[in-house]
Amino acid sequence: MDTLPLPDDGTAAAPPTPDELRELYSLMAAVRRLDASAVAWQRQGVIPGYAPELGQEAAQVGSGYAVDTSRDFVFPTYREMGVARAMGVDMVEYMSTHKATWHGGLHDPKTSRLAPIQAVVAGSVLHAVGWAHGQTLDGSDAVAMTYLGDGASSQGDVHEAMNFAAVMKAPVVFFVQNNGWAISVPTERQVAGGSVAARGAGYGIPALQVDGNDVLAVLEATRRAFAHCRSGKGPVIIEAMTYRRGPHSTSDDPGRYRSLDEERDGAGEDPLRRFRQQLLSAGLADEAFFARAEASAAAEAEMVREGLEALGPRPGSEMFDLVFQETTPALESQSASWREESEHV
């Protein structure tokens, strides 16, 4: 489905150049390698937990690549490493969140334009709408993009966020990664009607459902959505249909709720293999290019691992410093108790 009007003022984005196409593939290759490495790091004790995104590289890189980091702002969940990488966020700083540092990561949201990882299911959509509404009050043409899954779409926060955004014409893109599973529950058992994008009609929000395994289709859809929001016409819903090829998290066992045959049948064509074939068919890349992309991805993953292992523990006192803008008596009391028990002050 596609209810998003086409631009009629000549503002449609130009198709990606050959260099951009090759960059998109390199980004996807880097994300694939880093994602697999992060799972291994969790097993090795380098990080305590991680939410894999195998199979969702096209949805994440294609959407993240469309962001204008000079003005827009992205509000992720806990599974948007590929978005962060496409936006140019330092991966050691981003992955430090998964190392469980006290303050939730080292990357600076203000400069990177990526909000901290949100572990509360659907929590990021409310933050995005609030920020986007602030841009309309300031007269800015900046756009917020918030990520959620098909499972999160069943939360009440999503209804509140979409309703408010539609009423106030907030410039926010709701990017739904429908990966087929709400942890162990398939989409058809928890999304009434089978489509999150279809709900847009109830809010008066234009929406489109896109092949989430096609990086170019995702990029085009996201650019269209941003142009719509930037022109003052309000929010857009994008539902990228993809598939979570691995577990929900490193503590999940997908074998308890689906078979390997079901996983293979449901996953469809691999997004990297698909885009690789497109580039080969168009004569825009050769085997030497793909070899370089893989080598670069492997080197980057090793660099990130070294950076993570070099990180020391954060001062425990930070958990009290970064709660409120102005401290409270209760927080001061807790801080004093912690210092007495932990630092013997």
Side-chain angles (χ1 to χ4, degrees), residues 29 68 94 109 118 152 154 159 196 213 260 279 292:
D68 182 346
Y94 174 86
Q118 174 60 262
S154 297
H159 162 72
V196 182
N213 292 333
L260 286 176
L279 294 178
R292 289 194 301 272

Side-chain angles (χ1 to χ4, degrees), residues 23-48:
E23 183 182 13
L24 283 167
Y25 181 88
S26 295
L27 284 168
M28 290 173 65
V31 169
R32 172 70 61 89
R33 176 58 73 101
L34 188 54
D35 183 67
S37 297
V39 174
W41 299 338
Q42 190 278 330
R43 305 306 191 212
Q44 296 162 6
V46 177
I47 55 177

Side-chain angles (χ1 to χ4, degrees), residues 27-89:
L27 284 168
M28 290 173 65
V31 169
R32 172 70 61 89
R33 176 58 73 101
L34 188 54
D35 183 67
S37 297
V39 174
W41 299 338
Q42 190 278 330
R43 305 306 191 212
Q44 296 162 6
V46 177
I47 55 177
Y50 179 70
E53 61 183 68
L54 181 63
Q56 298 178 223
E57 296 88 357
Q60 296 208 2
V61 170
S63 56
Y65 195 77
V67 177
D68 182 346
T69 55
S70 70
R71 51 181 169 173
D72 302 325
F73 216 102
V74 171
F75 295 80
T77 71
Y78 42 73
R79 201 188 303 276
E80 269 71 64
M81 182 270 288
V83 177
R85 181 63 182 82
M87 291 174 61
V89 177

Side-chain angles (χ1 to χ4, degrees), residues 1-19:
M1 64 169 294
D2 185 346
T3 61
L4 179 63
L6 292 171
D8 56 6
D9 55 0
T11 59
T17 65
D19 284 343

Side-chain angles (χ1 to χ4, degrees), residues 48-319:
Y50 179 70
E53 61 183 68
L54 181 63
Q56 298 178 223
E57 296 88 357
Q60 296 208 2
V61 170
S63 56
Y65 195 77
V67 177
D68 182 346
T69 55
S70 70
R71 51 181 169 173
D72 302 325
F73 216 102
V74 171
F75 295 80
T77 71
Y78 42 73
R79 201 188 303 276
E80 269 71 64
M81 182 270 288
V83 177
R85 181 63 182 82
M87 291 174 61
V89 177
D90 182 279
M91 283 291 99
V92 174
E93 295 182 354
Y94 174 86
M95 291 298 298
S96 70
T97 302
H98 297 288
K99 195 173 175 63
T101 54
W102 282 118
H103 55 1
L106 297 172
H107 76 275
D108 179 7
K110 187 175 181 180
T111 56
S112 68
R113 314 304 287 178
L114 181 78
I117 285 176
Q118 174 60 262
V120 176
V121 177
S124 58
V125 297
L126 296 171
H127 300 163
V129 172
W131 186 89
H133 181 53
Q135 304 314 298
T136 63
L137 297 178
D138 290 342
S140 168
D141 65 351
V143 176
M145 180 158 60
T146 180
Y147 287 83
L148 63 148
D150 48 301
S153 72
S154 297
Q155 295 288 327
D157 285 353
V158 174
H159 162 72
E160 294 177 18
M162 289 184 175
N163 187 65
F164 186 93
V167 170
M168 306 305 294
K169 290 193 178 299
V172 55
V173 176
F174 296 95
F175 195 94
V176 184
Q177 292 180 92
N178 189 334
N179 65 18
W181 294 91
I183 305 183
S184 60
V185 181
T187 300
E188 60 268 19
R189 287 180 53 193
Q190 63 92 30
V191 175
S195 169
V196 182
R199 296 178 184 171
Y203 301 103
I205 300 178
L208 64 161
Q209 194 178 78
V210 65
D211 183 348
N213 292 333
D214 183 342
V215 66
L216 300 184
V218 173
L219 175 61
E220 180 187 11
T222 311
R223 284 177 168 173
R224 282 180 58 197
F226 268 77
H228 180 92
C229 293
R230 222 179 289 286
S231 65
K233 297 176 182 177
V236 176
I237 299 171
I238 297 175
E239 184 177 21
M241 307 302 292
T242 180
Y243 195 86
R244 194 195 77 213
R245 291 171 175 257
H248 171 76
S249 70
T250 47
S251 61
D252 174 40
D253 176 11
R256 299 184 65 180
Y257 51 84
R258 71 185 185 198
S259 68
L260 286 176
D261 286 340
E262 289 172 329
E263 186 174 315
R264 294 188 190 100
D265 292 342
E269 189 174 2
D270 179 271
L272 260 76
R273 188 179 301 115
R274 177 177 182 172
F275 192 38
R276 175 192 177 103
Q277 190 55 50
Q278 286 178 276
L279 294 178
L280 284 170
S281 298
L284 297 175
D286 55 19
E287 294 299 334
F289 164 78
F290 295 118
R292 289 194 301 272
E294 293 301 323
S296 177
E300 179 181 341
E302 183 58 29
M303 180 193 69
V304 174
R305 179 193 176 101
E306 292 173 357
L308 279 175
E309 292 184 321
L311 291 176
R314 302 299 304 175
S317 59
E318 282 188 349
M319 71 174 119

